[in-house]
Amino acid sequence: MLPQFSYVRPETLKDTVKHLNVPGAAAHAGGTDLIGCLRDGIMQVNKVVSLNALPDLHGIRETADGGLLIGAMTTITEVSESPLVRRKYPGLAQGASEVAGPQLRNQGTIGGNLCQKPRCWYYRGEFNCLRKGGDNCYALDGEHLFHAIFGHDRICVITHPSDTAPPLVALGAKVRIIGPEGKRTIPVANLHVSPADNVRAETVRKQGEVITHIELPRPPENLRSSYRKVRARRSWDFALAGVALALEMDGDRVNKSRVVLSGAAPVPWRSQPVENAISNRRLNAETIEKAARAVVEGADPLPGNMYKLDLFKGLIEEELYTVSRELR
Amino acid sequence: MRTIGAGAVSASLTGAAMVAESKPGPPEKILDATDTVKLKLNINGVNYAVLVEPRWTLLFVLREAIGLTGTKEGCGRGECGACTVLIDDIPRYACMTLAVEAEGRRITTIEGLMTGEELGPVQKAFLEEDAFQCGYCTPGQVMAVEGLLRKTPEPSMDEIRTGVSGNLCRCGAYHHIFRAARKAAIRKTR
């Protein structure tokens, strides 16, 4: 049985923000993460605010400038199957199709996927860890097979669980947020919070703020996007390692690139060393080898997850060879 | 996705090319934590009025308040699929769905696949293909296949595998489950 909470289902964004703007209120989109968090007692929630009666937050449409606007309540299944997303941003469609299992994709939303709580077993378990308000990250000296190798600063070693955030960051997407102080639009790249900045928060959303839409810019000419996820079992699992690519190609030459890793860091992790290794270069064996070596630059693996170094090297190599094969 | 009831969506995005629409939910309702409220649920074509607390899951209400015990609780945390039901024809985990969120939707459980005492095509195929041992995961597997076939009447083997990838079978009857799904698809489309 879940702990008790009151339940509200506002019909306007104004009421939604009002209901969310109190301590202990939590937004319910698809509920796939929230219900689990409530069941595990990792959040103290006394009011659940359902976003399910807000009609403006559903659906995917093309914008006047050739980009896309995705309502935050659009399900992961809808994103993965949308012909518009598949045509313009295959990387996002692939990311969405790799999320959890079919039932959870049918229920979970794109907005909720960006706001997930971490999956660290200490955080989800009965440990009062640093992120939950305690004093220690238990994973750092404990079991951290699936944990971060970048960006953790040895403070909190979670990996960000989202498969849609890496392609969205790679594609230069933005989120529209509404809150007590009005609306703001920020890049998805700036949505998530590093442990060094605030170990108790996953996103920069303030109390009362909720994501309403995701904006995708018009895809540049010759954009090639993809998402690849490596996991311990083929069905329903989080990423051990993953990579979202957004490459602007000119023949076999990479003009510009954005490379974002999943399963790597507490936030979707942009790999500038890989981008530097491939941008303005022909995608040949030499470039790919350099890129594979570059992906682990600056990594700070833990004793139990050293394997991720080789995994990421192999992943980058395979993914870039896939791109180069397509060019032939 | 279904498009009925999406008038508000279309209206709010007039002139835009909509490609995917999910149905907006029922209207605002404020429930206190300690209150029970009367909730109307449409389950297998029958309207039920039940008193629920906001924290009750659809799974709990189905089994404990209504007595439809065909839907099983396995992990209770959205990992095993034993509680799979259809909501507006789409497979979802009933353990991760608040009952209040299912108001106004069309809920189908394993009991809803029967015609009187006669099994539905997917159930029959599971029986004939020996697609279970202990049977505990079976209602969830059947509902996942039923949902798959309602959306994709002629699925490929890959689509079948993906379709039941959210359902665990500890007895390991997967190959028989895939065969049953294929048989049910053929039978349903014939």
Side-chain angles (χ1 to χ4, degrees), chain A residues 11-12 51-59 61 213, chain B residues 2-16 18 20-27:
Chain A
E11 289 174 54
T12 65
L51 311 180
N52 202 31
L54 297 167
D56 291 351
L57 268 53
H58 294 257
R61 68 177 167 112
H213 297 85
Chain B
R2 298 178 59 79
T3 52
I4 59 159
V9 178
S10 312
S12 67
L13 299 167
T14 306
M18 294 296 301
E21 297 174 1
S22 34
K23 197 166 115 180

Side-chain angles (χ1 to χ4, degrees), chain A:
Chain A
M1 187 66 69
L2 299 172
Q4 286 186 324
F5 50 79
S6 63
Y7 174 88
V8 191
R9 195 159 59 212
E11 289 174 54
T12 65
L13 281 171
K14 199 177 154 199
D15 285 345
T16 304
V17 169
K18 182 190 78 188
H19 282 302
L20 281 173
N21 193 21
V22 288
H28 178 301
T32 55
D33 193 37
L34 179 67
I35 304 297
C37 288
L38 294 176
R39 201 179 302 268
D40 290 342
I42 63 168
M43 285 160 74
Q44 303 312 312
V45 172
N46 52 38
K47 178 163 67 169
V48 168
V49 183
S50 171
L51 311 180
N52 202 31
L54 297 167
D56 291 351
L57 268 53
H58 294 257
I60 303 171
R61 68 177 167 112
E62 206 159 10
T63 54
D65 70 350
L68 282 191
L69 190 65
I70 305 178
M73 287 293 285
T74 308
T75 66
I76 301 295
T77 298
E78 289 172 294
V79 173
S80 72
E81 293 180 352
S82 155
L84 266 176
V85 176
R86 286 185 166 199
R87 177 161 52 81
K88 286 169 166 274
Y89 315 96
L92 176 59
Q94 288 160 14
S97 73
E98 293 283 335
V99 172
Q103 288 93 332
L104 292 174
R105 290 195 291 274
N106 290 340
Q107 181 169 351
T109 65
I110 184 81
N113 193 265
L114 294 177
C115 298
Q116 286 177 84
K117 294 285 181 184
R119 285 280 155 184
C120 172
W121 36 45
Y122 296 102
Y123 179 78
R124 296 265 166 175
E126 292 167 1
F127 291 82
N128 188 30
C129 74
L130 191 58
R131 186 166 289 274
K132 281 196 289 195
D135 298 323
N136 292 304
C137 170
Y138 294 94
L140 199 49
D141 294 318
E143 297 293 331
H144 46 240
L145 190 63
F146 301 142
H147 290 68
I149 60 168
F150 291 105
H152 50 67
D153 296 304
R154 303 231 163 193
I155 298 168
C156 164
V157 293
I158 60 157
T159 56
H160 198 272
S162 175
D163 292 311
T164 62
L168 285 172
V169 172
L171 292 163
K174 293 177 180 173
V175 283
R176 289 186 190 170
I177 297 173
I178 190 165
E181 283 156 41
K183 296 177 182 174
R184 57 182 179 136
T185 301
I186 61 167
V188 179
N190 298 346
L191 176 65
H192 299 102
V193 179
S194 292
D197 291 331
N198 181 358
V199 75
R200 307 265 151 82
E202 288 76 39
T203 70
V204 297
R205 286 174 309 136
K206 298 184 204 114
Q207 180 178 290
E209 283 194 324
V210 64
I211 295 177
T212 61
H213 297 85
I214 290 105
E215 289 178 14
L216 282 146
R218 177 197 180 89
E221 288 285 312
N222 303 321
L223 173 72
R224 195 266 181 206
S225 73
S226 63
Y227 179 71
R228 165 94 183 275
K229 175 177 176 179
V230 179
R231 39 185 165 177
R233 58 187 202 121
R234 187 63 198 92
S235 65
W236 197 159
D237 211 347
F238 292 92
L240 292 179
V243 61
L245 298 177
L247 312 178
E248 290 173 43
M249 305 297 295
D250 178 8
D252 68 347
R253 198 182 151 82
V254 180
N255 273 349
K256 277 167 78 177
S257 67
R258 258 196 277 213
V259 178
V260 184
L261 309 178
S262 60
V267 298
W269 191 253
R270 192 161 165 192
S271 179
Q272 239 120 28
V274 174
E275 292 177 10
N276 293 340
I278 60 176
S279 294
N280 297 310
R281 290 210 166 72
R282 293 181 57 215
L283 204 55
N284 54 25
E286 190 193 341
T287 305
I288 292 173
E289 195 188 310
K290 274 186 188 155
R293 277 204 305 269
V295 72
V296 295
E297 260 177 44
D300 181 15
L302 305 167
N305 67 11
M306 298 284 228
Y307 73 96
K308 284 201 177 187
L309 299 177
D310 284 337
L311 193 54
F312 272 107
K313 281 190 209 165
L315 179 64
I316 292 296
E317 193 177 303
E318 279 190 14
E319 280 303 278
L320 292 178
Y321 270 117
T322 301
V323 178
S324 95
R325 269 197 307 274
E326 287 169 6
L327 298 168
R328 281 186 219 138

